[in-house]
Amino acid sequence: MKNVATFIVIALFSTIGYAQNGPKIEFSAPDNTIDYGKISKNDNGLRSFEFTNTGDAPLLIIGAESTVSSIVVTKPAAAIQPGKKGKIDVKYNMAAGPIRKTITVETNAVNYPDGRVALKIKGEVL
């Protein structure tokens, strides 16, 4: 019984250490949110979510999309190497009214469950 308990403890610690290795994505926007504020319809609607790969392996942005057609998302095509920065561009169709939208980003990052990150934009188009 003592050997089984020791094995479980060792297995647990090795799994925890393993989960810390790999690519990690850290966004510079607070709470992964860009606030457009109150803007004019004449604004081009383009904003960028900047991030850094703080992990120890190449970071892949597998997909980035919104559930609404009023947002166009452009992701990096190449892997982001450890310590390097990248960006995901978001272009909002400037229809009058409040902005409250979410963009789902799929990555191979180990610091988010299943590598999925929710990015948000908010504001108001006057």
Side-chain angles (χ1 to χ4, degrees):
M1 184 71 167
K2 189 175 185 180
N3 288 341
V4 172
T6 304
F7 175 76
I8 290 173
V9 169
I10 291 171
L12 235 160
F13 280 115
S14 61
T15 302
I16 290 170
Y18 176 75
Q20 299 301 322
N21 294 330
K24 295 179 184 174
I25 190 167
E26 297 291 335
F27 285 92
S28 60
D31 298 322
N32 296 349
T33 302
I34 290 181
D35 188 349
Y36 279 70
K38 293 185 180 209
I39 55 175
S40 160
K41 288 176 85 171
N42 297 331
D43 188 295
N44 70 5
L46 182 63
R47 302 292 187 275
S48 296
F49 284 94
E50 296 178 355
F51 62 87
T52 303
N53 178 359
T54 59
D56 59 4
L59 173 69
L60 300 173
I61 307 297
I62 299 160
E65 58 186 39
S66 172
T67 57
V68 295
S69 62
S70 59
I71 299 175
V72 177
V73 182
T74 307
K75 67 175 185 67
I80 308 301
Q81 298 303 314
K84 300 296 181 183
K85 296 181 182 272
K87 68 179 184 170
I88 296 171
D89 292 327
V90 176
K91 183 164 178 41
Y92 181 71
N93 179 359
M94 302 306 283
I99 305 170
R100 299 277 184 274
K101 307 295 181 200
T102 301
I103 297 99
T104 302
V105 179
E106 294 183 53
T107 73
N108 66 334
V110 297
N111 59 325
Y112 281 91
D114 298 325
R116 300 183 125 218
V117 185
L119 305 177
K120 297 178 181 173
I121 61 172
K122 65 180 185 176
E124 183 178 3
V125 180
L126 305 173

